[in-house]
Amino acid sequence: MTTRAASASVRGLTLVLAAGVLLIAPLTYPASARPASDASPPAAESSGTRTVLVTMRDQADLRGVTGASRRARLRRVVDALQTTANLGQGSLRKRLETWTVDGDVTDVEPLWVVDAMSVTATSRVISAIAARPDVASVVPDEIDLVPSETAVGPNLTAVRAPDVWARGDTGSQVVVATLDTGADVTHPDLETRWRGGTNSWFDPYGQHPGGPVDLSGHGTATLGAIVGGDSSGTAIGVAPGARWIAARVFDDRGAATTSAVHQAFQWLLDPDGDPATADAPQVVNASWSLGSAPGCDLTLQPDVQALTTAGILPVFAAGNYGSASGSSVSPANYPESLAVGALADGTTVLGSSSRGPSTCGGRTGVFPDLAAPGQDISTTDLYGLYQVASGTSMAAPQVAGALALMLSARPGLSVQRQREIITGTAVDLGPAGPDVNSGYGRVDALAAYDLASAPLPDFAVTAQPVSASVPTGGSTSFAVSVAPTSGTFGAATISASSSPDLGVTVTPSTLPGATGTSTVSVATNAQTSAGDHVVTVDVTADGVRHSVTVTVTVLPAPPTTRIELSTLGAANPPGLGGSPDDADVLAWDGTTFRRTVDASATPYRLPAGADVDGFSRRDGTSFYVSFADDVKLPGLGWVQDEDVVLFDGTAWRPWFDGTAHRLTSSALDLDATSVVNGRLYFSTRGAANVPSVPGVGDDADIYTWDGARFSRVWSATTHGLAGSVNVDGLDLTDSTHLALSFADTAVFVPGLGTVQDEDVVGFDRGSWTVRFDGTAAGLTSADLDVDAFDIP
């Protein structure tokens, strides 16, 4: 068996391979700190462009991602990440297309594991990108990788892997992935264990897309410690029955980029590019760290969080910066990572193994989490040879192998349960309890395997019914039953969540012994959008969690049966007597009309010819009004068509002076008004810009006056209305819930088709409904078109 040590200093990313420690240096550094091999700039820089990593401001929030199975969680994680990236990058991608045509951008590589892009562009464009409000940061894409030293020694007996094999399990049900320098797929201890196919090897640099390669030997060494066989006559891998896949995080020069590392992580989540297939690995080993010194670098925390959310517990080498305390490195010191230190023998921590404590990224637990043999580890090398390697990067693969054996016994273990078992069964070293030198102690593959194999306490959760339909403003309930299927439990905690416009309550919220039934009540309100809403119920007891979902279908609000309105002309609707006036206000109760404001009668005494253009009821006797023309009101005098007045039950009062607020052109006359909590909302008669409101004015847009300034709260064209449409009546709850009537004879409304000028439609957060069918109520003449209205 030959001994081979590898070390290299490469540009941008420092990778130290101390039998498996890859150290990725910070993304920015002084020029004097760069390795000697960094003397020549890459071709992109010499041609006037630079490659940078552009990280967008919006990042996916995976905290709410759940799933009844690993496959479901994987799919939902990928969907959430890809959706966030597609939305967050959309605007910048369009701008980059223009810059590409201009020759200022030569390459764009979108990412989705983080909402980011690798962009090769001129300095001018990079500066413009950095100034955008949707961009969080722009940093050089290159990072430094410096190979660690390598060395080896016996290990499998210490972690009791052969005792697991004696149980008949070598990890054959599990796929393990390495992020490293690659792998020598021709090695006799690795060749037959490669999963194979187009979804089992990834080179983000595109230099070796056809199959696994390794120019360094470090990746081959770490992989051999996980799955290596016994072709040499000596067994070297902890889980020799497992299959492997790999992604390289270096290019042929040994250099690396942040975007390539991001791409490797996102490949792990979806190797074949199809989220519907669950081909992600169960175990991931990464024997490297960020930076050439101890520290906390959160560059890759979103990637690691995505893995754990998807049900994959990543194993990281703790680092080779001991024996000083506080010598941890990232990503091992993230709270989501399983950090592994190295042992010089079965009980003594290797002097160079990094120590805790660490609070990086919110870590509250001990660092490292575990320890494994890390000195003189026999493993695979290039060209079918073998090497002996030392360091935490050889310790980490043995823990990855122990996880593979565990998951072969029980594939569905959650990340939390994997962590609990692998740390809870470790052999305590040093002072009693977890410590900053060896964590919970030396990994014990047999004890972990036995605990994973043992029947676990579990319970079942069912819901009845699994779906229900309710009208807007209605409510429903369903029963959630909990019953143990094995073992005993303390109290089960029950919680439910859904979209914010559904009211969800659980009674009772705890069930002793995880036994019994709770009632989950769901209430809708006027703001609840029509359609399907998923209610997720989570039940947790003694660390075991199960979820069940119920679909609540909210039915569209039926056409309103009550409305007050003023018509365009002086005509009576069917069934209503008396002298009609186009300033009268009529009420429809779903069956008949009645006159609620007789414009010419006392106490209103509106002059002949007055035409109500906007109407908003305040209470039973008072209301706000705007007029289509200038009107002289009794006791008040002349009111302009850009003003709003209040009838307080006995007399007319001034309320909003449009002239004083610069609504002085005829195009800015108020055409529809609604007053909500003392605040004016309105649409104008013409397509003119309202003072101080940016953008193009539209006579179907809705504006507001807050007492100090105007602003646009609703854009008609954004929500599918043609530019020629003119709003004639308005009733508003907020900027996502409103009702409109139109001045035009026929208006096309998305999802509804053609709407007449005697109808009222509702807009509910993007969905359109008919709120009042004027034709059905008998408003069939032009004089009876709806000119102003208010819905109680």
Side-chain angles (χ1 to χ4, degrees):
M1 183 177 295
T2 62
T3 300
R4 190 170 69 84
S7 66
S9 180
V10 298
R11 188 183 192 280
L13 182 69
T14 305
L15 170 61
V16 180
L17 305 180
V21 179
L22 168 62
L23 301 177
I24 304 180
L27 298 181
T28 57
Y29 43 77
S32 61
R34 295 183 180 181
S37 62
D38 193 31
S40 300
E45 292 192 8
S46 62
S47 64
T49 60
R50 290 184 294 138
T51 302
V52 295
L53 184 74
V54 179
T55 301
M56 308 306 293
R57 192 163 300 279
D58 292 334
Q59 295 294 322
D61 185 353
L62 300 178
R63 290 174 295 181
V65 174
T66 60
S69 65
R70 180 176 181 272
R71 179 172 183 170
R73 288 193 301 275
L74 271 169
R75 182 166 187 173
R76 291 172 185 175
V77 167
V78 173
D79 285 348
L81 291 170
Q82 291 181 343
T83 298
T84 298
N86 288 334
L87 293 175
Q89 298 172 22
S91 175
L92 179 54
R93 286 182 188 176
K94 291 181 180 178
R95 189 70 183 92
L96 288 170
E97 290 175 2
T98 302
W99 281 323
T100 300
V101 172
D102 295 340
D104 288 329
V105 173
T106 59
D107 188 60
V108 176
E109 182 67 42
L111 301 166
W112 51 260
V113 70
V114 290
D115 189 0
M117 288 183 279
S118 175
V119 178
T120 302
T122 61
S123 296
R124 179 183 68 84
V125 166
I126 291 171
S127 297
I129 293 172
R132 291 174 60 96
D134 55 351
V135 170
S137 66
V138 177
V139 297
D141 196 10
E142 291 192 341
I143 44 180
D144 287 338
L145 295 174
V146 176
S148 295
E149 300 175 0
T150 56
V152 249
N155 56 312
L156 299 182
T157 301
V159 300
R160 297 214 289 173
D163 295 325
V164 179
W165 307 342
R167 303 284 175 87
D169 198 338
T170 58
S172 60
Q173 303 302 310
V174 177
V175 174
V176 177
T178 61
L179 295 182
D180 216 294
T181 63
D184 183 354
V185 72
T186 66
H187 196 288
D189 276 313
L190 302 178
E191 181 178 13
T192 59
R193 292 165 174 82
W194 183 45
R195 184 173 69 179
T198 58
N199 64 341
S200 297
W201 166 250
F202 180 61
D203 179 3
Y205 305 101
Q207 295 168 329
H208 302 278
V213 297
D214 185 3
L215 303 186
S216 158
H218 182 266
T220 299
T222 59
L223 186 58
I226 305 173
V227 302
D230 57 2
S231 296
S232 65
T234 302
I236 57 175
V238 173
R243 293 175 298 159
W244 63 269
I245 63 176
R248 68 195 303 236
V249 289
F250 310 91
D251 63 15
D252 285 352
R253 297 179 298 133
T257 63
T258 309
S259 59
V261 179
H262 283 317
Q263 289 179 68
F265 272 102
Q266 73 184 26
W267 177 80
L268 290 175
L269 290 168
D270 189 14
D272 67 353
D274 181 2
T277 59
D279 61 339
Q282 288 96 327
V283 179
V284 172
N285 185 84
S287 288
W288 45 263
S289 59
L290 282 160
S292 56
C296 179
D297 184 333
L298 300 179
T299 300
L300 298 177
Q301 189 176 31
D303 308 65
V304 176
Q305 290 172 339
L307 287 184
T308 56
T309 304
I312 303 169
L313 177 59
V315 181
F316 281 92
N320 294 338
Y321 295 103
S323 60
S325 63
S327 52
S328 72
V329 290
S330 301
N333 53 14
Y334 299 164
E336 299 84 6
S337 303
L338 190 69
V340 182
L343 299 174
D345 53 33
T347 58
T348 306
V349 177
L350 191 66
S352 61
S353 183
S354 288
R355 268 72 164 176
S358 175
T359 59
C360 182
R363 178 180 271 263
T364 57
V366 69
F367 178 93
D369 295 288
L370 289 168
Q375 182 164 299
D376 298 336
I377 308 300
S378 297
T379 189
T380 46
D381 198 359
L382 301 180
Y383 315 117
L385 301 176
Y386 297 85
Q387 57 177 307
V388 175
S390 295
T392 58
S393 62
M394 291 310 300
Q398 295 170 75
V399 172
L403 278 176
L405 294 176
M406 277 174 47
L407 292 172
S408 183
R410 192 173 293 278
L413 289 174
S414 68
V415 162
Q416 181 60 31
R417 190 61 182 152
Q418 291 176 53
R419 185 185 297 275
E420 291 171 352
I421 292 175
I422 201 77
T423 59
T425 56
V427 178
D428 192 21
L429 304 175
D435 58 68
V436 297
N437 298 313
S438 61
Y440 285 87
R442 185 183 66 243
V443 66
D444 188 330
L446 177 63
Y449 181 87
D450 284 344
L451 183 56
S453 303
L456 296 176
D458 203 0
F459 58 85
V461 179
T462 57
Q464 181 64 36
V466 295
S467 63
S469 297
V470 296
T472 300
S475 62
T476 188
S477 64
F478 51 92
V480 173
S481 299
V482 183
T485 56
S486 61
T488 58
F489 290 90
T493 301
I494 306 169
S495 62
S497 60
S498 186
S499 53
D501 51 6
L502 280 185
V504 183
T505 58
V506 178
T507 307
S509 59
T510 59
L511 293 174
T515 303
T517 301
S518 287
T519 299
V520 177
S521 301
V522 180
T524 70
N525 54 47
Q527 283 71 48
T528 305
S529 60
D532 291 343
H533 296 256
V534 176
V535 177
T536 301
V537 181
D538 293 318
V539 182
T540 304
D542 297 339
V544 180
R545 187 181 78 172
H546 289 295
S547 300
V548 66
T549 60
V550 170
T551 301
V552 176
T553 302
V554 179
L555 303 176
T560 183
T561 57
R562 298 179 60 211
I563 188 172
E564 281 191 281
L565 59 90
S566 181
T567 59
L568 183 63
N572 277 329
L576 184 65
S579 299
D581 192 316
D582 51 3
D584 287 350
V585 177
L586 312 176
W588 169 254
D589 63 6
T591 305
T592 59
F593 285 100
R594 62 186 177 88
R595 187 173 281 105
T596 56
V597 175
D598 189 340
S600 60
T602 303
Y604 312 109
R605 295 182 292 130
L606 291 177
D611 186 2
V612 169
D613 214 23
F615 175 80
S616 187
R617 173 71 69 179
R618 187 173 74 167
D619 56 39
T621 60
S622 62
F623 49 84
Y624 302 91
V625 170
S626 63
F627 296 98
D629 304 291
D630 297 350
V631 175
K632 187 175 182 180
L633 297 180
L636 185 60
W638 283 98
V639 173
Q640 310 300 316
D641 46 8
E642 64 268 17
D643 300 337
V644 177
V645 294
L646 169 66
F647 184 79
D648 65 4
T650 58
W652 296 99
R653 307 292 184 193
W655 189 76
F656 174 80
D657 187 337
T659 304
H661 298 309
R662 297 182 292 157
L663 302 182
T664 53
S665 73
S666 59
L668 293 177
D669 291 344
L670 302 185
D671 196 22
T673 59
S674 182
V675 179
V676 181
N677 296 325
R679 183 166 177 170
L680 174 65
Y681 296 84
F682 65 91
S683 177
T684 60
R685 181 168 298 176
N689 280 332
V690 174
S692 302
V693 177
V696 179
D698 190 323
D699 50 1
D701 286 353
I702 308 301
Y703 304 90
T704 187
W705 169 256
D706 64 4
R709 61 183 61 84
F710 292 106
S711 59
R712 180 184 288 106
V713 297
W714 191 82
S715 172
T717 54
T718 298
H719 298 297
L721 297 182
S724 59
V725 171
N726 186 11
V727 168
D728 208 27
L730 169 67
D731 182 77
L732 181 142
T733 301
D734 57 44
S735 60
T736 61
H737 301 84
L738 47 90
L740 305 172
S741 64
F742 303 105
D744 311 273
T745 301
V747 172
F748 177 79
V749 176
L752 294 181
T754 301
V755 174
Q756 310 301 318
D757 46 8
E758 64 268 18
D759 299 333
V760 174
V761 295
F763 176 84
D764 179 1
R765 294 184 306 177
S767 299
W768 293 92
T769 57
V770 175
R771 296 297 304 276
F772 174 71
D773 187 338
T775 305
L779 306 183
T780 54
S781 72
D783 284 338
L784 292 176
D785 292 344
V786 175
D787 197 22
F789 68 89
D790 182 88
I791 298 176

